[in-house]
Amino acid sequence: MSLATLLEQYGQEYITALFTTWKLTAIAFTAAFVIGIIVTVMRISPVKPLRVFAEFYVQIFRNISGAALLILLVYALPYLNMLFSYFTCVIIATTLIPSAFCSEYLMSGINTIDVGQIEAARALGLTFSQTIRNIVIPQALRSSVLPLTNLLVSTMLTTALASQVPMNPRDLTGLVSHINTHAVGGVMAFFVSAFFYSITAIVIGQIGTRIDRKVRILR
């Protein structure tokens, strides 16, 4: 199938699939970012059970396959009377894994903070939560802009897991599967989806680089 024929027949569906991919990415990354911050705070908490739980969380979801997690959510949880929509299952799978990596990136950012700042905060009488909120997290975020930008791109690519379940509307990869199941889209169908993925990733990368230049901490 030629590019012109493909776009003529499926142009509108590609646009819908692109917006679906963006929607999945935005929801999953926002949730992963929030969870990542919470898990990171737990990992440096003075409360040992919180640290143990957070480390366990990171080790589990940093090392599990996205496809395996999605299969667990879609096919195993119903046996426990926990039934979620396909959309929700995809969001959960594409949130839990990036959240673990988000915590790792933030921990790396925290490691760049001079220990003297923490000691100064304690000397001034700041509590743990005040130190975390006013000193640790802001600097960790400023030091982790580029890794988090890469995580956003990775999250977008991970949304291709949606192609493994009958979602409606479909994501970009799911649309390619649909086209090649019902027509002979061939390599061209993959090329168009890859083009949209690449353009989105390039835009995200450029925005991340500009933000990093503005907030980067010079040491």
Side-chain angles (χ1 to χ4, degrees), residues 68-83:
L69 181 57
L70 183 62
I71 290 172
L72 177 67
L73 293 169
V74 174
Y75 298 107
L77 289 187
Y79 287 99
L80 301 176
N81 294 321
M82 299 175 65
L83 186 61

Side-chain angles (χ1 to χ4, degrees), residues 141-195:
L141 289 174
R142 291 176 66 181
S143 300
S144 306
V145 171
L146 290 182
L148 290 175
T149 300
N150 293 333
L151 181 64
L152 177 54
V153 173
S154 177
T155 302
M156 177 191 66
L157 299 178
T158 304
T159 61
L161 287 172
S163 65
Q164 304 303 305
V165 294
M167 266 188 49
N168 188 23
R170 302 176 182 86
D171 71 304
L172 283 172
T173 305
L175 178 59
V176 171
S177 299
H178 172 77
I179 292 174
N180 282 295
T181 299
H182 296 81
V184 186
V187 176
M188 192 56 66
F190 286 94
F191 172 80
V192 174
S193 289
F195 173 79

Side-chain angles (χ1 to χ4, degrees), residues 108-110 112 138-147 212 215 217 219:
S108 297
I110 289 174
T112 66
Q139 293 191 63
L141 289 174
R142 291 176 66 181
S143 300
S144 306
V145 171
L146 290 182
D212 178 66
V215 305
I217 301 174
R219 302 186 187 278

Side-chain angles (χ1 to χ4, degrees), residues 4-19:
T5 303
L6 181 68
L7 294 179
E8 181 181 354
Q9 293 186 14
Y10 296 99
Q12 185 58 49
E13 291 188 48
Y14 264 112
I15 298 301
T16 302
L18 178 61
F19 278 101

Side-chain angles (χ1 to χ4, degrees), residues 1 13-14 29 38 53 71 79-80 85 99 118 123 152 186 202 218:
M1 183 182 294
E13 291 188 48
Y14 264 112
F29 181 77
I38 294 173
F53 172 80
I71 290 172
Y79 287 99
L80 301 176
S85 67
S99 68
I118 308 300
L152 177 54
I202 290 172
L218 300 178

Side-chain angles (χ1 to χ4, degrees), residues 65 69 114 149 199 203:
S65 162
L69 181 57
D114 192 322
T149 300
I199 291 298
V203 171

